[in-house]
Amino acid sequence: SLHFRPTGHKGNPEGRSILRRCYTAYYFKNHLQRIEGIGFERELAGYPVLAAPARVLQAATSEDQTALTMAEKIIQNIRMDEQMGALIPSTRDENGHLLWELKLLSSGGQTRQDINQAIQRYDQRIAMSALADFILLGHEKVGSFALADSKTHMFSIAIGTWLDSIAAEFNTQAIPPLCDLNGFQLEKYPKLVHGDIETPDLTE
């Protein structure tokens, strides 16, 4: 059997993944995407405020405790979907004021920070960790042919290095023993080689 690993650092049989360097960027990007989703939902639904009688908030009796639990579920589960809505008592006090009242406080719709830029920055760092950031060229309406050509050339060199490493494992650990086991008397063992990474563009 052949054992492939990115590096032999400290003799670790698992090696060191080429994606290890992008984990921090991935972690923060994933966290920001969740925050972004929650933020959009709150922007659309508003901030729910449910006014309840003071005795309910004190939850002195089992009935008040039940009512408080119901109120907490209402404000926690408000969503902008096909099942949106809330059912609350319409009881009024002696002055005609509602004892229960539900309001949605709307926000200005603007955030202090542009979270989309932060997510795009982490996308770029993830791609850069594998020298593949050229795939992002053009998404922001920037980038020249010369820049794309140099970045893809660097990427092809990196891919070629990994293929050389894979081929070396076959050429040192698989082919020589296989030839010896079959009784081949050879001055030089055959070698496994990979093809070109890029196809030359004759026009360019």
Side-chain angles (χ1 to χ4, degrees):
S1 62
L2 299 179
H3 181 203
F4 297 91
R5 57 182 176 177
T7 64
H9 181 62
K10 294 184 178 181
N12 185 354
E14 295 182 355
R16 183 182 177 89
S17 173
I18 60 175
L19 300 178
R20 184 182 180 94
R21 292 177 298 173
C22 75
Y23 174 75
T24 301
Y26 161 77
Y27 173 83
F28 283 108
K29 175 196 171 184
N30 192 36
H31 185 59
L32 286 176
Q33 285 179 323
R34 289 198 299 267
I35 294 177
E36 183 183 40
I38 295 172
F40 280 132
E41 183 178 13
R42 285 306 181 190
E43 288 285 339
L44 295 174
Y47 187 82
V49 177
L50 179 60
R55 61 178 179 79
V56 173
L57 300 179
Q58 294 175 356
T61 65
S62 60
E63 292 182 357
D64 292 341
Q65 180 63 48
T66 302
L68 179 60
T69 301
M70 178 200 70
E72 290 175 346
K73 288 183 178 180
I74 288 176
I75 61 176
Q76 290 174 359
N77 295 326
I78 288 181
R79 297 291 186 273
M80 295 288 290
D81 56 22
E82 69 278 2
Q83 297 181 355
M84 64 178 295
L87 178 62
I88 60 175
S90 60
T91 310
R92 298 178 181 268
D93 60 14
E94 61 276 4
N95 297 322
H97 299 120
L98 287 172
L99 295 178
W100 292 81
E101 187 175 5
L102 178 63
K103 295 181 179 179
L104 292 176
L105 302 181
S106 61
S107 63
Q110 295 180 351
T111 57
R112 295 182 179 179
Q113 301 291 335
D114 188 352
I115 196 171
N116 187 53
Q117 288 186 356
I119 293 175
Q120 289 179 352
R121 181 173 74 248
Y122 288 123
D123 277 337
Q124 186 179 29
R125 291 182 179 178
I126 291 173
M128 288 173 61
S129 68
L131 297 179
D133 53 316
F134 64 90
I135 63 176
L136 301 176
L137 292 176
H139 288 273
E140 298 179 356
K141 298 181 180 179
V142 294
S144 63
F145 173 78
L147 179 61
D149 184 58
S150 62
K151 285 184 173 292
T152 53
H153 180 64
M154 288 290 295
F155 182 73
S156 66
I157 293 176
I159 295 296
T161 302
W162 286 109
L163 292 178
D164 288 340
S165 177
I166 295 173
E169 183 71 16
F170 282 99
N171 293 330
T172 58
Q173 304 297 326
I175 295 178
L178 183 63
C179 291
D180 294 341
L181 288 173
N182 285 276
F184 296 154
Q185 302 296 326
L186 303 174
E187 296 182 0
K188 292 183 179 181
Y189 293 111
K191 291 185 177 181
L192 176 68
V193 296
H194 61 82
D196 292 334
I197 308 301
E198 291 183 301
T199 301
D201 190 332
L202 300 181
T203 302
E204 295 296 336

